[in-house]
Amino acid sequence: MDPELWKAAQDLFHRAAELEGAAREAFLDEACSESPALREIVNGLLSGDQSAPEWLDRGADDASGILDSDVTGALPERIGPYRVVGVLGSGGMGTVYEGERQDDFSMRVALKSVRPGAVSHELLQRFQRERQILASLEHPSIARLLDGGEGPDGRPWFAMEYVDGEPIDEWCDNRKLDVRARVRLFLSVCRAVQYAHANLVLHRDLKPSNILVAGNGEPKLLDFGIARLLEADVDPGLTRDPNRQPLTPEYASPEQFREEPLTTASDVYQLGLMLYRLLTGRAPHPAGIRDRELARLRTERQPTWPSATVLHTPAGAGEDPPPSADEMASLRGVTPERLSRRLKGDLDTIVLKALRPEPGERYVSAEALADDLERHLGGRPVRARPPSLAYLAGRFIGRHRAAVAAASVALLAILGASATAVHQARTAAAERDMATETAAFLEDLLTAPDPFQGGLGPADSVRMVDFIRYADDRIRNGLTDRPRTRARMLTLLGRVQMNLGDGERSVAALREAVEANRSVFGPDAQETVQALRSLGFSLSETGAPEEAEATLQEALRAQIALTGEESLPAASIQELLARRFLDARRLDDAEPLLQASYETRRSLLGETDPSLVGVVNGLAALSSFRGDEEGARIWTERAVRVLEEAGPEERANLGITLGNLGGVYRRLGRLDEADAAQTRAVAILEEVVGPNHFLTAGAQATLAAVRADLERYGEADSLWSTAIRTLEETSPGSLTLAGEQGAWARSLRRQGRLEDAEPRARAAVDASRRIAGPTHPLVAINTALLADILRDGGRLGEADRGYGQALDILSGAPTGPNALAIRISRAGVWEQMGRSTEAESELRSVHAAAESSLGRGHPLERRAADALVEFYERAGRVEEAEPFR
């Protein structure tokens, strides 16, 4: 058919449908006077419109009422062995009650029963079919059938798993989940639907209210009341009433409106509708229209791109206008513009493929939809998009954003150096030669992944790590006759390797870079200082604290001699050296460096420049270590605000800083806020640097601690296990590894799992001693933790020796918070061992020291006071406890 003719016919049809009788005929006579073919098409459309089911002329609310009619009448007292305690909802077949069983065992269930007076042959068929369908499904994301039977009046009933949760869209909005978290949650729904399809079950009514998310964050698929089996001979003779179609128009597929045979593609369409709403907060077609118009739109037109929908507030009237674009975006943690950018591209394409009007053009299954969403989350090309070279390159960059960012900086630096060298070459032949060498090397390096150059492999199969290792070999072995180019490239290579989490290769490359730059440019040249700075950072991250400090001190002295103390390069090295001092808890050494770095950057760049964030995080850590968690919160929240305004290029830093904020909230006892910030941090870092990076592992470990505080121990154990395994692989020399070993052991001890806690605590002691040296405070903290576990197990002598070893390490600060806490624990062991006089003396000494150095009301002062009160009460000396209450 001529597309233009079809378009004209559709336009005339909509206009003619508003007219009746002679007025319609007169309108068409005039409009189609020169085209009988046009008139024939319009007449066919009008004829089909007249034969459409009557229920399409009712509003969406009225039509959906077929499934959601009100409950009337008194509650039954019991259904089977269950006492009815309330109503959960009502549908076309009957009522869903909340019930409980309290005979041989206690159980809370959802009871579904046919409503009195509603029994018909078809309804009973549907009810029994739903019960049979539920009995055939056993999936963690599908509510389970538990029991069933018939009442005294012959009405059937069944009991299902009770799900105490919220509809999936409300659950996401109430927690302000970002796009990535929503997609991950939706994947569980897709897998449940795919499981149902694999068991020959078509749901036919997928919508947010039928997917509840429980408190543990797991979705549950409910209500198979209008589901049917995909086997051809299941429904012979089942009657159909066109005035009572079993569907919810807002979530109906085009073929449901057309009353065509349904396949799994119909459920895929409903999944697409739900995903559209989860991502945008909007329905893909205008709200408030009649079902006839909604059916036409679903059949003839694809929705607006999700990325475009979120930029506009739809028109609305009445007392309850639709939420604005800003409100919808804020529920996803971003502005409308940033939400649009996040949806543009893959997610637009995925959603609209699921919403194609023709079933054969959609995803072939819920599994295929889930696979494309997984590919998107992993930064791989999605199958819904044609594999153009530009798109494949974009996905490659997306998967390795941090590494590509580092490589991009490297390339820009190289190209900048080349341009400068070309300029200087007019007067210096050596610089001209270097520019030529750099350009030739870049050409060789950048053609490595080119499949037409016999390179590393197919265009989308080249991993960033393979590319960087290829570059490593070319720089080390292919530039030996070009020492200036080789020296600069080694520095850049080492930086990129560190950003990829390959600390061992980074340190090796940067050691070589320092020597190469010294040899070529001289010991005091800027190139040499840059190599020293990068080496100091990598040494610090890979567990060589003493060498890291010496290297950064050397770099700072040289940088100040070159550019002065109040310069950005000097400020950068000051920040790195301050971090080293913070790790060693040398707070008085760290503070002046942090203050100097902050003041230099603020005066040269302004308050809101993203490069201030690193030093702001350092100032927050300093506040935290000194017990000022409120000060740490203020610093960290300021950093988060700066990064959120900075845009996607600062996304990795935003993930790191949100992780820091989650830790601060946790220490302040604001656990829900800590969980939200830390969950977001993990999602961002998984997206930007990947799931197997040391930064992601650190964020996962902090989230584990939050989940443990919330007593979600299974989730905490899983997160710690993953994080520690990653840290052991990527950063075996990092203090973070030792700290998280101890944190996990502490959680296990709190649960009473001493057999699991002891080996974890011993691993923490060994790791902290190996990484930080035998006198580091973390060794003392982990040793005291092991002693706590031994004390809980009744091994008092071993515990006493452990506390003594920890205090020996802290002998330089006997009245510091760590030492005082350990002394309180040791006094408790002494009392248990019958050394009551020594225990009392120690507790009085600790209390006096805490009151003097930390002040009355400090948590440690109160802990010591409480320990004295308990000691005197156990000894029957109640009057002596009074001064400490």
Side-chain angles (χ1 to χ4, degrees):
M1 179 182 294
D2 182 351
E4 292 300 321
L5 184 65
W6 174 246
K7 185 176 183 299
Q10 287 181 304
D11 180 62
L12 287 178
F13 160 69
H14 296 305
R15 294 162 65 187
E18 301 297 321
L19 304 173
E20 294 183 359
R24 177 187 289 181
E25 292 301 316
F27 167 74
L28 291 175
D29 287 343
E30 180 179 353
C32 303
S33 60
E34 298 182 0
S35 177
L38 179 61
R39 177 65 178 266
E40 183 179 352
I41 295 170
V42 175
N43 284 341
L45 291 173
L46 289 169
S47 176
D49 183 58
Q50 290 172 349
S51 64
E54 291 180 10
W55 60 269
L56 278 175
D57 285 321
R58 297 200 291 268
D61 291 338
D62 188 21
S64 64
I66 293 168
L67 294 179
D68 299 308
S69 54
D70 293 335
V71 179
T72 59
L75 294 180
E77 291 185 6
R78 301 188 71 81
I79 295 178
Y82 302 95
R83 185 172 69 88
V84 175
V85 298
V87 175
L88 297 174
S90 180
M93 288 191 290
T95 304
V96 181
Y97 302 99
E98 180 183 352
E100 61 181 17
R101 180 170 183 166
Q102 293 182 329
D103 42 21
D104 296 335
F105 53 89
S106 197
M107 178 185 291
R108 192 179 183 190
V109 299
L111 295 164
K112 191 164 187 177
S113 176
V114 175
R115 203 165 43 249
V119 179
S120 70
H121 176 67
E122 180 191 352
L123 189 145
L124 286 174
Q125 279 187 308
R126 284 173 50 199
F127 192 91
Q128 290 164 356
R129 183 180 59 206
E130 179 182 9
R131 189 165 63 182
Q132 183 57 46
I133 284 172
L134 285 171
S136 70
L137 301 178
E138 186 72 31
H139 189 276
S141 293
I142 297 177
R144 293 175 293 120
L145 178 72
L146 302 174
D147 198 357
E150 289 186 358
D153 58 0
R155 287 187 295 125
W157 62 268
F158 59 80
M160 296 174 291
E161 172 186 4
Y162 179 84
V163 181
D164 186 7
E166 303 168 73
I168 188 170
D169 55 341
E170 295 177 17
W171 196 88
C172 292
D173 287 351
N174 290 340
R175 288 154 185 78
K176 294 189 175 182
L177 295 191
D178 62 15
V179 166
R180 187 176 184 86
R182 288 168 186 255
V183 172
R184 285 197 176 281
L185 183 62
F186 182 75
L187 282 170
S188 296
V189 179
C190 290
R191 294 187 184 104
V193 173
Q194 178 62 35
Y195 171 84
H197 290 174
N199 284 272
L200 302 179
V201 175
L202 188 66
H203 191 282
R204 300 202 294 180
D205 197 26
L206 295 170
K207 56 188 177 183
S209 61
N210 279 342
I211 297 164
L212 300 186
V213 184
N216 62 0
E218 293 297 325
K220 289 281 188 180
L221 182 55
L222 312 174
D223 198 354
F224 284 76
I226 67 169
R228 74 169 177 83
L229 297 179
L230 290 167
E231 295 168 336
D233 60 349
V234 167
D235 288 335
L238 183 63
T239 59
R240 283 173 168 253
D241 180 352
N243 291 317
R244 294 183 65 80
Q245 287 295 309
L247 58 79
T248 305
E250 187 181 2
Y251 285 93
S253 65
E255 53 269 35
Q256 283 178 292
F257 281 117
R258 296 192 296 255
E259 296 189 274
E260 296 174 351
L262 301 184
T263 67
T264 55
S266 181
D267 279 358
V268 168
Y269 190 94
Q270 292 181 337
L271 287 170
L273 292 171
M274 195 167 7
L275 181 58
Y276 196 109
R277 181 174 287 279
L278 288 177
L279 297 179
T280 69
R282 311 282 185 205
H285 295 101
I289 61 176
R290 296 176 68 83
D291 292 335
R292 183 187 297 275
E293 179 65 11
L294 182 60
R296 183 187 66 78
L297 290 174
R298 294 260 168 96
T299 300
E300 298 175 3
R301 188 186 305 172
Q302 280 212 285
T304 305
W305 294 104
S307 61
T309 294
V310 298
L311 294 173
H312 307 290
T313 299
E319 299 179 358
D320 192 18
S324 68
D326 285 334
E327 290 172 320
M328 283 293 96
S330 71
L331 293 176
R332 288 144 183 83
V334 289
T335 63
E337 293 73 21
R338 291 181 67 185
L339 179 57
S340 177
R341 289 196 298 270
R342 179 68 181 85
L343 300 180
K344 189 173 292 182
D346 283 355
L347 288 175
D348 272 341
T349 304
I350 291 170
V351 172
L352 292 199
K353 182 173 177 64
L355 294 177
R356 296 275 175 85
E358 292 303 319
E361 296 178 355
R362 297 174 205 149
Y363 285 101
V364 296
S365 65
E367 183 178 24
L369 170 58
D371 178 66
D372 248 5
L373 290 170
E374 287 274 21
R375 294 175 72 83
H376 167 72
L377 292 178
R380 293 175 290 149
V382 302
R383 303 186 191 282
R385 297 188 68 174
S388 67
L389 181 59
Y391 174 63
L392 293 176
R395 294 298 89 202
F396 176 75
I397 292 170
R399 288 200 302 279
H400 307 287
R401 194 166 300 167
V404 171
S408 298
V409 170
L411 292 178
L412 287 173
I414 294 166
L415 294 173
S418 300
T420 302
V422 170
H423 174 71
Q424 294 173 341
R426 296 170 183 166
T427 56
E431 290 298 321
R432 180 180 63 238
D433 292 343
M434 183 176 176
T436 302
E437 291 170 5
T438 301
F441 179 77
L442 277 176
E443 180 178 358
D444 176 57
L445 193 64
L446 294 176
T447 57
D450 186 346
F452 295 99
Q453 299 291 327
L456 297 175
D460 192 50
S461 71
V462 180
R463 299 180 305 155
M464 177 57 74
V465 66
D466 296 328
F467 182 68
I468 295 303
R469 287 178 182 174
Y470 173 81
D472 186 318
D473 179 69
R474 294 290 297 118
I475 291 168
R476 290 172 182 272
N477 303 315
L479 291 174
T480 53
D481 58 339
R482 288 166 279 180
R484 294 165 64 86
T485 302
R486 181 175 181 274
R488 290 185 176 178
M489 292 287 189
L490 279 168
T491 303
L492 298 171
L493 174 66
R495 291 180 192 168
V496 172
Q497 287 171 325
M498 193 66 242
N499 285 336
L500 284 170
D502 193 345
E504 184 178 347
R505 289 177 183 271
S506 172
V507 168
L510 288 168
R511 288 191 196 281
E512 206 168 336
V514 169
E515 294 308 315
N517 279 284
R518 279 177 177 154
S519 175
V520 173
F521 299 107
D524 300 322
Q526 184 64 55
E527 292 85 350
T528 304
V529 177
Q530 289 174 342
L532 281 167
R533 175 198 177 281
S534 297
L535 176 59
F537 173 73
S538 291
L539 288 167
S540 184
E541 291 298 314
T542 53
E546 294 179 0
E547 187 181 357
E549 180 182 338
T551 302
L552 289 170
Q553 292 277 27
E554 181 184 353
L556 182 58
R557 286 192 297 269
Q559 190 65 64
I560 291 173
L562 282 169
T563 60
E565 188 170 2
E566 296 181 1
S567 64
L568 291 177
S572 175
I573 301 174
Q574 287 170 329
E575 178 197 331
L576 292 180
L577 186 56
R579 287 187 199 172
R580 172 84 287 284
F581 290 145
L582 287 174
D583 284 344
R585 304 300 189 267
R586 292 163 56 185
L587 306 185
D588 291 340
D589 291 328
E591 184 171 16
L593 289 168
L594 289 170
Q595 291 290 356
S597 179
Y598 179 72
E599 291 303 327
T600 296
R601 284 169 160 156
R602 187 174 65 170
S603 64
L604 295 177
L605 302 172
E607 292 272 4
T608 60
D609 191 277
S611 66
L612 267 75
V613 166
V615 70
V616 167
N617 280 329
L619 288 164
L622 180 68
S623 297
S624 182
F625 287 141
R626 286 190 165 150
D628 181 13
E629 295 296 352
E630 192 59 30
R633 178 191 65 78
I634 292 170
W635 279 114
T636 313
E637 286 181 345
R638 180 187 303 178
V640 168
R641 287 194 296 271
V642 169
L643 291 170
E644 286 182 326
E645 292 298 320
E649 63 273 11
E650 293 294 335
R651 195 138 170 87
N653 282 328
L654 175 60
I656 295 168
T657 307
L658 278 166
N660 294 342
L661 182 60
V664 172
Y665 283 148
R666 178 187 174 230
R667 291 189 292 275
L668 286 169
R670 295 161 59 171
L671 296 182
D672 288 339
E673 291 170 278
D675 189 74
Q678 204 63 42
T679 298
R680 191 176 168 209
V682 170
I684 289 173
L685 290 170
E686 283 181 342
E687 174 188 346
V688 176
V689 300
N692 298 318
H693 196 280
F694 66 88
L695 291 175
T696 306
Q700 288 171 326
T702 307
L703 179 58
V706 175
R707 295 280 165 86
D709 289 345
L710 291 167
E711 298 185 358
R712 294 158 63 178
Y713 294 119
E715 298 169 48
D717 287 350
S718 177
L719 284 163
W720 262 315
S721 176
T722 300
I724 288 173
R725 184 169 59 250
T726 300
L727 289 169
E728 287 173 338
E729 292 172 356
T730 63
S731 305
S734 168
L735 270 180
T736 303
L737 172 60
E740 295 309 331
Q741 292 270 24
W744 193 4
R746 197 168 289 109
S747 171
L748 293 168
R749 178 202 173 208
R750 188 165 62 189
Q751 299 172 58
R753 295 164 55 187
L754 300 184
E755 291 184 359
D756 295 325
E758 182 179 345
R760 189 64 57 187
R762 291 190 184 280
V765 172
D766 293 343
S768 54
R769 186 179 289 123
R770 170 177 55 81
I771 294 166
T775 61
H776 192 279
L778 187 58
V779 180
I781 291 169
N782 285 332
T783 301
L785 169 62
L786 176 59
D788 289 337
I789 294 167
L790 295 171
R791 174 190 176 184
D792 291 349
R795 295 151 67 181
L796 301 182
E798 292 177 74
D800 184 27
R801 288 192 292 276
Y803 291 133
Q805 292 166 2
L807 289 169
D808 286 343
I809 296 170
L810 298 174
S811 59
T815 59
N818 287 329
L820 292 177
I822 295 169
R823 289 172 65 190
I824 293 172
S825 297
R826 183 175 63 171
V829 167
W830 285 351
E831 184 185 1
Q832 287 179 269
M833 297 172 73
R835 297 161 60 182
S836 297
T837 302
E838 294 170 85
E840 178 185 2
S841 175
E842 180 74 341
L843 288 174
R844 281 184 168 277
S845 174
V846 169
H847 181 263
E851 189 174 43
S852 173
S853 61
L854 302 174
R856 184 178 293 273
H858 187 278
L860 267 172
E861 184 270 336
R862 292 313 312 152
R863 182 178 166 190
D866 290 344
L868 279 165
V869 169
E870 292 170 5
F871 174 85
Y872 287 125
E873 287 179 343
R874 282 191 296 270
R877 298 155 58 186
V878 179
E879 69 283 355
E880 295 180 64
E882 290 305 316
F884 301 102
R885 292 189 186 276

